[in-house]
Amino acid sequence: MIRRPLVLALVVALLPAVASAEDLLQTYELARNGDPQLSAAESSRLATKEGAVQARAALLPSLTGSATLSKSRNTAPSFTDNSDPTNPVEVAGNLTTETTTRSYGVDLRQMIYDRSRFTTLKSRNALSQASDFQLESAGDTLITRTSAAYFNVLVQLETLAAAEAAETALKKQFDYASKRLEVGLAPITDVHEARAQYDNARANTILVRNAVEDAYQALSEITGQPIRNLKGLPDDFKPALPESQGVDGWVQTAIENNPALRAKEFQVQSAEADVETARSGHWPTLYLTGGYDKSKSWTDRTFGGNTFESDSEGRGPSLGITLSVPIFAGGATQSGVRQALATRDVASDELEQQKRALVRNARNAYQTLVAGVSEVEARRLALVSARSAYEASQVGLEVGTRTVLDVLINQQNLFTAQQAYAQAKYNYLQNRLLLEQAAGTLDVSDVQDINRLLTAEPAAKFEPSGG
């Protein structure tokens, strides 16, 4: 079941329904309220914390109440009459004895010393702290998952706009080639080439539309409801690096703050405590036991048609101390120690591997972001050049200095440049968030900073199915 704090629920409730998410921040708020992966992480954290509560309860007294009512019947062919102790007599005949017993009481058990209980609590507390960082990591991942899906929709919409423009332009080229063929100014091969390119553009537009539909569905998978009318980057977008502390500073911040790494550190601490728990199997335990019981019995003896009744009653407290000393368990205790040591070594190696991967990812994210600033500008200039080349080839075709094939090639280059520019812009935004995620400093303020940049309508209009 997906649950969120009341304040967040009210924020989401105030957002316009379904098609209201028009920017990244609103989409993220919907994802916070509806993403099942984050909900599962929250539930997992709650379940893990209950382990610490249960381990703490094992250190406290346990009190158990009990009540018993039983009835028994016994028939014997003979019995010994002990009414005269100096002359017991064996009497033949069936003796039927019926006994009814009623008892109730309260039993107390308190640990005085049990090393395994203390080390288990230490292990569970470490796992409880790890679960806090795991939830934080899941929240950071939600931001980057949501932004990646959001940006992918915008990239696909820009690709669709370029595909539709290419289809329209190629249709004009095909018509133009056909008319020139009719008046004998162009060979049939120009028509065939133009027709082939036009048909390919139509097929490509269909594929891009399907990609846009799937991108919308991927975003709805996170938010739990359809998303419409997204905001994108304006044409005059200029990327810039955030206030930099250098790649080594980002790496050090990541080592100190990354929540996934912190969670793994606490998991190693838990594994260390589990080793001590396994070793405590060699240690004695001491428990205090006590209680209060009350019982009463009724007995009916029947012999020769005569019935004799009797009853008894008892009550009183009990108190004791139980010392248990392990002597031999078939090697199971030592095996458990070896197993716990191996598990701890696995956790330690995973921590080292995760730390190395984090260092690499933080460096790569920073370097990719730095390169992304230059890439966006280079892609923009490449787009300007591709558009100029296409327009020049069209003019050249009209005056006879260029062929239809030249125009078609330049049209394809223009389409590729438009697609690459869109991808570079949104990759830059995504890499900003990925760097903050690696450093462990990602939060909603970073989403707000990115969101302020998204002020333009998408390049293409598209109405997804299902809404």
Side-chain angles (χ1 to χ4, degrees):
M1 181 180 180
I2 299 174
R3 296 177 297 272
R4 295 291 182 274
L6 178 60
V7 173
L8 180 59
L10 290 175
V11 170
V12 174
L14 293 175
L15 295 175
V18 182
S20 63
E22 296 183 348
D23 57 31
L24 180 61
L25 183 60
Q26 291 178 342
T27 302
Y28 169 67
E29 293 292 353
L30 293 176
R32 276 285 304 168
N33 194 57
D35 179 56
Q37 289 189 33
L38 182 62
S39 179
E42 291 177 341
S43 298
S44 178
R45 171 179 172 270
L46 294 176
T48 300
K49 285 190 170 296
E50 291 304 321
V53 175
Q54 295 166 16
R56 188 178 301 108
L59 303 179
L60 303 177
S62 63
L63 196 62
T64 305
S66 62
T68 303
L69 178 64
S70 63
K71 188 172 185 178
S72 62
R73 180 185 178 91
N74 181 51
T75 300
S78 62
F79 70 98
T80 302
D81 184 2
N82 294 314
S83 57
D84 184 358
T86 61
N87 185 27
V89 178
E90 185 74 19
V91 181
N94 290 331
L95 173 64
T96 301
T97 304
E98 292 186 359
T99 303
T100 302
T101 303
R102 181 188 67 196
S103 63
Y104 51 88
V106 178
D107 296 314
L108 172 69
R109 180 178 173 86
Q110 170 61 51
M111 182 271 299
I112 299 177
Y113 180 78
D114 189 338
R115 192 164 183 263
S116 66
R117 299 293 178 92
F118 294 102
T119 54
T120 298
L121 177 60
K122 183 179 179 181
S123 173
R124 297 299 181 269
N125 281 336
L127 289 179
S128 177
Q129 290 177 286
S131 68
D132 292 334
F133 287 105
Q134 287 173 327
L135 179 60
E136 182 181 346
S137 178
D140 292 348
T141 301
L142 175 64
I143 293 177
T144 55
R145 284 193 298 115
T146 303
S147 63
Y150 185 97
F151 296 150
N152 187 44
V153 173
L154 295 175
V155 168
Q156 296 302 330
L157 286 173
E158 293 208 21
T159 303
L160 176 60
E164 291 174 341
E167 180 182 347
T168 300
L170 291 170
K171 176 64 166 62
K172 292 180 180 179
Q173 293 300 325
F174 170 63
D175 293 340
Y176 181 73
S178 299
K179 291 179 180 179
R180 286 173 61 87
L181 176 64
E182 292 175 0
V183 298
L185 296 178
I188 188 65
T189 54
D190 283 359
V191 177
H192 291 327
E193 289 171 352
R195 179 58 183 265
Q197 292 292 334
Y198 170 56
D199 289 340
N200 182 68
R202 291 172 58 197
N204 185 61
T205 301
I206 295 173
L207 293 178
V208 173
R209 284 184 175 276
N210 287 339
V212 174
E213 179 71 35
D214 183 66
Y216 269 112
Q217 292 300 322
L219 188 56
S220 296
E221 180 182 353
I222 299 174
T223 61
Q225 56 181 291
I227 303 298
R228 304 287 185 270
N229 305 324
L230 306 187
K231 294 292 186 181
L233 289 172
D235 293 335
D236 59 353
F237 168 68
K238 298 290 184 181
L241 285 175
E243 295 183 4
S244 178
Q245 51 185 328
V247 63
D248 292 332
W250 282 104
V251 170
Q252 186 60 36
T253 301
I255 293 175
E256 295 174 355
N257 298 323
N258 183 268
L261 186 65
R262 296 294 305 278
K264 180 59 68 175
E265 290 173 350
F266 279 108
Q267 289 173 352
V268 171
Q269 293 181 20
S270 173
E272 291 279 5
D274 289 339
V275 172
E276 297 305 315
T277 300
R279 286 174 174 162
S280 66
H282 297 296
W283 291 60
T285 61
L286 188 64
Y287 281 81
L288 172 67
T289 59
Y292 184 88
D293 296 283
K294 181 178 182 180
S295 63
K296 186 173 184 178
S297 297
W298 296 269
T299 302
D300 295 336
R301 293 183 174 86
T302 302
F303 179 77
N306 297 316
T307 299
F308 305 92
E309 297 180 355
S310 62
D311 60 68
S312 61
E313 183 176 358
R315 67 172 66 87
S318 62
L319 186 66
I321 294 178
T322 302
L323 175 66
S324 298
V325 181
I327 298 176
F328 180 68
T333 301
Q334 194 58 37
S335 174
V337 173
R338 294 193 297 269
Q339 183 183 45
L341 286 170
T343 302
R344 180 205 60 190
D345 292 342
V346 169
S348 298
D349 290 339
E350 289 177 346
L351 173 61
E352 179 62 23
Q353 173 58 38
Q354 188 166 330
K355 184 177 180 180
R356 294 180 185 181
L358 177 62
V359 171
R360 173 176 174 267
N361 291 338
R363 288 185 178 276
N364 181 66
Y366 178 80
Q367 293 164 356
T368 302
L369 187 64
V370 172
V373 175
S374 300
E375 182 190 7
V376 171
E377 180 61 18
R379 295 292 186 186
R380 186 186 67 81
L381 295 176
L383 176 58
V384 172
S385 299
R387 183 175 288 112
S388 298
Y390 171 68
E391 293 172 352
S393 65
Q394 283 185 312
V395 175
L397 177 63
E398 294 174 358
V399 299
T401 59
R402 292 296 182 91
T403 66
V404 171
L405 181 59
D406 293 332
V407 177
L408 297 178
I409 292 174
N410 285 324
Q411 174 62 56
Q412 181 60 42
N413 291 339
L414 176 59
F415 173 77
T416 302
Q418 289 172 321
Q419 189 177 30
Y421 179 52
Q423 190 72 57
K425 289 188 299 181
Y426 294 109
N427 280 349
Y428 163 79
L429 297 182
Q430 181 67 7
N431 287 329
R432 278 184 56 174
L433 296 175
L434 289 175
L435 179 59
E436 296 286 354
Q437 181 185 21
T441 57
L442 181 63
D443 57 26
V444 70
S445 64
D446 297 296
V447 180
Q448 293 170 340
D449 291 340
I450 297 293
N451 191 64
R452 294 188 189 100
L453 302 174
L454 305 173
T455 58
E457 296 294 329
K461 295 296 182 181
F462 184 87
E463 183 65 25
S465 62

